[in-house]
Amino acid sequence: MQEMTKGSNVGLAALSEDTGSVIVSLSWSSAAGEGDADVSVLLLGGNGKVRSDADFFFYNNPAAADGSVQLLGKTPTNSGSEDRISLDLTAVPLDVERVVVAASQYGDSRFGELDDLRLTLSDRAGETLLGYSIADAGAESAFLFGELYRRGEEWKFRAIGQGYETGLEGLATDFGIDVDGESDDDAALPEESALTAASEADLPRAPVAGTVVALPAQPAGEARPADVAPTPTRARRPRTAKKKVTLPSVEKKSLAENDGWKRARLFPAGSLKSDKEREVRATSVLLSVMAEVPEFGRRLTAAFGAPAGRMQTFTEVSLPHGDTPKRPDGVIRVERAGKLWTALVETKTNGNPLRSEQVQNYLDIAARRGYEAVITLSNDVALEGRPLVQIKRDGRRKHKVTLWHLSWAEVAHQAQMLIRHEGVGTAAHAWLLQELLHYLQHENSGCHGFQNMGPAWVPVRNGIDRETLCRGDERAVAVVESWERLIRQVCLRLGGELGQKALPVQRGKRGSDPGSRRSLLADQLCDDGRLTAELRIDGAPGLLAITADLRTGKLRTSLDIPAPEGSYPLTSVKRLLRMLAKAPADLHVETLAEESNGPRGTLERLRPEPADLLPKDGARITGFRLSLFKGMGATRGSAESGFIRSVDEAVDQFYASVITHLPSFERHPARETAASR
């Protein structure tokens, strides 16, 4: 890997033979677990400006129609998060000379508050080619990390590292984006949704792709030319994407005579009896929908280096391998400009583990035949630094094959994001995705994601209960890994339902490896008998904390919110209780004071006596902690009485009954405006 310095450049062809499609990753970390940023991409012409506002890709316009740019979203890392961008350089229009990669923060946040600002660029095979770190960030709220630019027929990369204190607005304006503010005219304009929902959901929803973007208002005093007639604000704002179709949040009233009538389904799952039958059906259903719904197929394969092009999928293909042909569960082929990208697919359902020997055979076959990737798909969730299967690489082979993993939870998440929040091209495609999602969520499909805490769960619980579990026990590490998988799956499910980013917060020393961090957490589990996690949910006023106390058998979900600045203590308390008027009566409220924690009690007791939350010694109130407690499932699985089900229910209950009643702090201006339409 080549390490870049500010202002340096390098030709991609000198780093790899396969740079037609690349993945650019932007990452940052925070010891406190706070802080976040959003990536953006700009396509610039020869004059250094965008050709139109549609050349600006960000959270509300995540993909180009030609597949040249696609924002792949965030993934958690050891101590922060990483945002990935797929760039298909072969699809970039010829009149685009530069592709600029940037990131911005919002509100009063600054990049100087984050650590380890870094850009990496990988080729289609997943090999990291170059890296660039920014060490001098300060008061900037937007940064140009780097750019890819043409030199003849070659693409080169330049490390930029230029910051803006004016945020996303200043960055966008510099490159010719027409940034307009909110006006009263917008409220009078009709809604432009493709399908009208039967009713609005109570939970907040992300902006749907195709929503008009409103960035912060123009500076005061900047007048328009006198000879230009005024037009409605919505008409002059950039439309960030084509109008897309999403499904109503509430289904239409059923015409069935009674609840016993079952709707006809495109992909029935009720008759599946064996694991082999489940695997074959699940593979065929998924691959066929990927081929028929371009947005969905591209969403799942772009992260693996596949180009944007014509996709075809196949199942049960026989491929020669020694004396006995092998049959991978599926094959994905994408054609672009006469070139083929091919991936073999190995599927497992119903909690069955991947087999190293089987995956190794497919890697060998792919290498001999010149295929690009092997994709494994199972209920398990991959962890950083913890491969699901052990494989051997033959360094003598020139052709590189990349091994990727997808969980069924991630497949369901992407389908839900498209049909509920971001949209697809046609109503038929939306219906296909809905049928796929129904199949994946059917109890008999075997595609429910991570469903088992593993064989170490019961011995560890018993060891904690009997106080016989000691530090260094490998079974405790296995439980910590299962807990991390469960939390990542909770984030995928919750993010898909809300249309918001939901990520686990990874706290750890900078530079520490994932294995060391998990060993430390396992030792803490042995000491205090607790599993803990924190979720950062876009739009929430703080981090949602989850604690599973294996000694008491209780789950605690909680949220810390700051006290309003400049308010009288009793006023702050009364305002909080008014906001929580519809919250459960057994919600625990605790006052956080300057030196120590203050009084606490349930809403039922505090509503008639708000002053009981005031510290007796007059200490300054810094915030409040809101907590709900519920019983913890005992078994290791996902049955009604299982631990996994109880964690899901605890998070859902806390979000729906507590967080939705609290105002969000420092929302993205563009998101807030778009979501209000």
Side-chain angles (χ1 to χ4, degrees), residues 47 50 56 97 182 189 201 206 246 322 337 503 545 553:
N47 61 353
V50 295
F56 179 37
E97 294 191 2
E182 183 71 15
L189 291 171
T246 56
L503 285 174

Side-chain angles (χ1 to χ4, degrees), residues 188-270:
L189 291 171
E191 198 71 51
E192 293 186 14
S193 59
L195 289 179
T196 303
S199 66
E200 292 297 324
D202 291 331
L203 297 181
R205 296 181 61 175
V208 176
T211 305
V212 174
V213 177
L215 294 175
Q218 284 180 296
E222 188 169 334
R224 288 180 172 78
D227 58 344
V228 177
T231 56
T233 304
R234 181 180 290 274
R236 70 174 183 272
R237 285 203 185 111
R239 178 173 295 282
T240 59
K242 292 181 179 178
K243 192 186 299 183
K244 297 292 183 74
V245 175
T246 56
L247 293 178
S249 56
V250 177
E251 290 188 9
K252 295 180 180 179
K253 183 179 178 181
S254 174
L255 300 180
E257 286 185 6
N258 56 62
D259 294 338
W261 287 23
K262 295 182 179 179
R263 287 187 58 185
R265 291 292 177 184
L266 183 64
F267 310 121

Side-chain angles (χ1 to χ4, degrees), residues 14 52 64-65 168 268 335 360 377 383 412-413 432 471 492 528 593 614 634:
S52 72
L168 182 63
E335 180 191 38
Q360 185 72 61
L377 179 60
L383 298 181
H413 167 81
L432 272 176
R471 282 177 166 239
L492 287 170
D528 59 26
L614 300 179

Side-chain angles (χ1 to χ4, degrees), residues 119 162 184 234 258 501 513 632:
L119 176 149
Q162 176 187 340
D184 295 336
R234 181 180 290 274
N258 56 62
K501 289 181 298 184
D513 68 279
M632 189 177 75

Side-chain angles (χ1 to χ4, degrees), residues 316-329:
E316 298 294 317
V317 174
S318 179
L319 298 173
H321 183 68
D323 297 332
T324 308
K326 300 297 179 183
R327 289 179 178 271
D329 292 318

Side-chain angles (χ1 to χ4, degrees), residues 54 112 264 298-299 332 351 401 439 543 662:
R298 177 66 179 153
R299 177 69 61 89
I332 302 172
V401 179
Y439 177 85
L543 300 178
L662 300 172

Side-chain angles (χ1 to χ4, degrees), residues 150-225:
R150 296 183 193 266
R151 279 297 178 267
E153 298 196 3
E154 181 188 5
W155 283 95
K156 304 185 75 173
F157 173 83
R158 178 184 291 115
I160 300 178
Q162 176 187 340
Y164 290 77
E165 293 187 25
T166 50
L168 182 63
E169 180 183 7
L171 183 153
T173 304
D174 254 16
F175 291 106
I177 302 292
D178 183 18
V179 178
D180 287 318
E182 183 71 15
S183 82
D184 295 336
D185 295 334
D186 295 330
L189 291 171
E191 198 71 51
E192 293 186 14
S193 59
L195 289 179
T196 303
S199 66
E200 292 297 324
D202 291 331
L203 297 181
R205 296 181 61 175
V208 176
T211 305
V212 174
V213 177
L215 294 175
Q218 284 180 296
E222 188 169 334
R224 288 180 172 78

Side-chain angles (χ1 to χ4, degrees), residues 371-547:
Y371 297 164
E372 283 73 20
V374 172
I375 300 171
T376 57
L377 179 60
S378 72
N379 302 80
D380 218 339
V381 178
L383 298 181
E384 185 181 11
R386 192 74 166 91
L388 294 175
V389 290
Q390 298 295 330
I391 58 169
K392 295 180 181 180
R393 298 283 188 182
D394 189 345
R396 296 170 298 176
R397 281 190 172 134
K398 184 178 179 180
H399 182 74
K400 299 175 184 177
V401 179
T402 312
L403 178 63
W404 303 95
H405 180 73
L406 265 177
S407 71
W408 286 112
E410 187 173 354
V411 173
H413 167 81
Q414 298 293 1
Q416 196 160 28
M417 287 296 293
L418 284 170
I419 63 175
R420 292 297 181 197
H421 308 290
E422 298 174 9
V424 291
T426 69
H429 288 169
W431 176 75
L432 272 176
L433 281 180
Q434 185 181 42
E435 289 297 296
L436 170 66
L437 189 61
H438 181 271
Y439 177 85
L440 297 178
Q441 295 173 341
H442 193 282
E443 60 183 9
N444 203 28
S445 70
C447 304
H448 302 103
F450 179 72
Q451 295 288 291
N452 198 307
M453 292 296 289
W457 175 250
V458 173
V460 166
R461 282 202 62 177
N462 292 338
I464 289 173
D465 184 53
R466 298 165 186 163
E467 298 188 8
T468 58
L469 193 67
C470 301
R471 282 177 166 239
D473 195 318
E474 287 299 316
R475 294 174 301 179
V477 176
V479 168
V480 166
E481 289 177 349
S482 294
W483 172 249
E484 187 174 336
R485 290 186 171 98
L486 172 57
I487 294 302
R488 293 200 180 188
Q489 179 164 289
V490 168
C491 288
L492 287 170
R493 183 184 55 78
L494 190 63
E497 291 173 358
L498 302 176
Q500 308 278 14
K501 289 181 298 184
L503 285 174
V505 175
Q506 304 283 13
R507 297 183 187 271
K509 293 182 180 179
R510 190 186 308 179
S512 63
D513 68 279
S516 299
R517 177 176 59 81
R518 291 176 190 127
S519 296
L520 179 61
L521 293 175
D523 288 343
Q524 293 175 357
L525 172 63
C526 295
D527 291 342
D528 59 26
R530 294 189 183 98
L531 293 165
T532 61
E534 292 174 304
L535 313 185
R536 183 189 297 116
I537 304 170
D538 200 14
L543 300 178
L544 193 165
I546 311 168
T547 301

